[in-house]
Amino acid sequence: MQNTDASENRSSFVDFAAIKDEMMSNQTPLQVLDGHGKIVNQAVFDQYSDTELVDMLKLMVWERTLHQRSNALTRQGRLGFYAPTEGQEASEMGAQLAFKATDFLLPAYRDIPQLIQHGLPTWKAFLWSRGHVLGNDYEEEHLAAMPPQIIIGAQYIQAAGVALGIKKNKTEDMVAYTFTGDGGTSQGDFYEGINFAGAYQVPAVFIIQNNGYAISTPRHVQTAAVTLAQKGMAAGIPFVQVDGMDILAVREAAKAAREYAAAGNGPVLIETLTFRFGPHTNAGDDPKRYRTPEEEQPWFDNDPLIRLRKVLTEKGVWSEEIENAYIDDVKAEIKAAVAQADAAPKQKISDFLKNVFEEPTPDIVEQIAIFEAKEAK
């Protein structure tokens, strides 16, 4: 009698290879304008007036100019920490346009432009960069936001908590929204935040700005997931991937996500495919050490400003003269904001000590007295 391994005749109960093939199938990010400035979704594009389209380009030009001036100010020693945003204007401004002033923003350190558009005065944003306490004072503006989070991914947990508060307070037509980069999705806080939000079905919109690198670590090294958006599946929340260089597509996706969450359906996760043109921060990072010109050039050619500028120029509603005049206006506003930041009262050691606790401990009270006496001299 011939011995036959029974396993050879047994059909596989689970075909993991087929499952993986399905997981790895290509997904096309949502678009309205492609990289050549061609309209690929006419129905959505036609919903926008020329004025709205011009305003969107102005927002991106504003952010690009803010980046350029901030970069120059850091080199002059007039700003402190700064995370460049060049290249991510469509991702950031497209998303920000979808939310209301009453929605609660939980920004990360690269989300200063969204924070300013949400209501933070530019001069206070500059003070935040300098480490001045007034840069975290939102009381006068009644701003529905937290100061930028430095801990990678921690804003996702905060957003889930704020959204739970919105739900418990039964606040109508309000959501919490937050951003992180691709590196943030590798943090435990990311999953804990979206899992909590999904479990409690809170009104939150989570946005991943996938700019390709967590400082110097490329996205493909961080995870085997085909998209970062699909990580929402593990938390049971709907997700979508969008062309992050297309401001119209980002705005449409974020608007739909906000409406879904505000209606009581629970959270949404959005991934925007974008690219940071420069370094991770102004703290000595050199992208030339981990990126090649061959990798960068297609993204530079895919500049979100060029894409929309091409369309509006062809429509006859935008020109180089209009753009240059607007840039001059933005530069003047930034110059005034820098002057206002410079005029802020200088911080004293006694002030730092007073801000440690709401009610200073006895030893800190003694130190405050010592330094106030020295400062009086």
Side-chain angles (χ1 to χ4, degrees):
M1 184 174 181
Q2 185 178 4
N3 287 328
T4 303
D5 189 344
S7 65
E8 293 180 4
N9 299 320
R10 190 180 300 148
S11 61
S12 174
F13 182 63
V14 181
D15 190 345
F16 286 108
I19 292 172
K20 186 171 183 179
D21 286 343
E22 185 176 352
M23 287 170 51
M24 302 296 284
S25 61
N26 290 327
Q27 300 184 29
T28 304
L30 299 179
Q31 277 187 330
V32 177
L33 299 176
D34 68 13
H36 303 289
K38 178 183 177 182
I39 302 169
V40 295
N41 191 322
Q42 192 71 48
V44 170
F45 183 83
D46 288 344
Q47 294 176 17
Y48 289 91
S49 67
D50 287 349
T51 300
E52 289 175 314
L53 293 170
V54 167
D55 286 344
M56 281 190 278
L57 181 53
K58 280 186 172 182
L59 269 179
M60 291 196 291
V61 171
W62 167 82
E63 181 171 345
R64 180 67 58 87
T65 307
L66 177 67
H67 156 78
Q68 292 169 345
R69 295 303 305 139
S70 297
N71 199 37
L73 289 166
T74 59
R75 292 178 178 178
Q76 297 168 9
R78 302 178 72 186
L79 282 186
F81 176 84
Y82 171 65
T85 62
E86 186 178 25
Q88 298 186 209
E89 293 88 356
S91 174
E92 296 186 342
M93 292 298 98
Q96 180 59 35
L97 279 168
F99 297 96
K100 298 183 178 182
T102 51
D103 293 330
F104 205 98
L105 171 60
L106 288 300
Y109 52 78
R110 204 179 303 279
D111 304 322
I112 301 301
Q114 300 97 295
L115 192 53
I116 293 174
Q117 289 299 324
H118 198 55
L120 182 68
T122 305
W123 68 276
K124 283 195 173 182
F126 288 154
L127 286 180
W128 177 84
S129 173
R130 296 177 181 182
H132 198 294
V133 67
L134 285 180
N136 299 304
D137 180 9
Y138 297 172
E139 185 175 0
E140 184 177 341
E141 289 77 28
H142 303 288
L143 185 59
M146 288 280 284
Q149 177 59 258
I150 294 296
I151 301 172
I152 307 298
Q155 66 274 20
Y156 266 51
I157 291 179
Q158 291 176 324
V162 170
L164 179 62
I166 293 171
K167 182 175 182 177
K168 282 185 170 294
N169 289 331
K170 298 180 180 180
T171 307
E172 295 184 359
D173 194 30
M174 181 180 181
V175 303
Y177 66 109
T178 187
F179 298 81
T180 193
D182 46 291
T185 68
S186 298
Q187 295 290 105
D189 287 358
F190 166 83
Y191 178 72
E192 291 172 20
I194 63 173
N195 187 64
F196 183 97
Y200 288 93
Q201 290 293 285
V202 301
V205 178
F206 300 101
I207 300 164
I208 305 166
Q209 295 198 87
N210 179 1
N211 64 18
Y213 285 86
I215 306 182
S216 61
T217 304
R219 173 253 187 269
H220 72 270
V221 174
Q222 300 177 50
T223 178
V226 180
T227 71
L228 300 180
Q230 71 192 73
K231 293 191 173 192
M233 184 179 294
I237 65 177
F239 55 89
V240 67
Q241 186 185 64
V242 186
D243 181 350
M245 309 299 262
D246 178 359
I247 190 170
L248 288 166
V250 175
R251 181 178 183 176
E252 286 296 310
K255 180 182 177 183
R258 189 206 175 276
E259 291 173 353
Y260 178 90
N265 298 307
V268 177
L269 180 66
I270 299 173
E271 175 189 4
T272 64
L273 294 176
T274 184
F275 196 75
R276 59 171 167 83
F277 288 176
H280 174 68
T281 69
N282 63 339
D285 171 53
D286 181 8
K288 292 184 176 62
R289 298 182 63 183
Y290 52 85
R291 296 193 321 210
T292 66
E294 293 73 23
E295 177 188 357
E296 293 176 327
Q297 194 57 50
W299 287 102
F300 295 157
D301 295 338
N302 201 21
D303 188 318
L305 275 70
I306 294 175
R307 188 184 300 198
L308 187 55
R309 184 188 292 136
K310 181 176 184 294
V311 174
L312 298 187
T313 300
E314 291 175 352
K315 286 173 70 67
V317 295
W318 192 259
S319 66
E320 185 176 354
E321 291 75 22
I322 293 174
E323 184 162 330
N324 288 338
Y326 179 66
I327 289 173
D328 287 342
D329 291 341
V330 174
K331 286 181 177 179
E333 292 174 3
I334 293 173
K335 183 177 181 180
V338 172
Q340 191 168 358
D342 290 343
K346 303 302 180 185
Q347 296 187 103
K348 298 176 290 187
I349 296 177
S350 59
D351 292 332
F352 289 132
L353 291 168
K354 290 174 183 176
N355 289 327
V356 174
F357 296 110
E358 185 175 1
E359 295 184 12
T361 58
D363 58 329
I364 291 182
V365 170
E366 290 181 13
Q367 294 176 55
I368 291 172
I370 291 171
F371 282 103
E372 283 184 334
K374 291 180 179 180
E375 290 159 359
K377 295 179 181 180

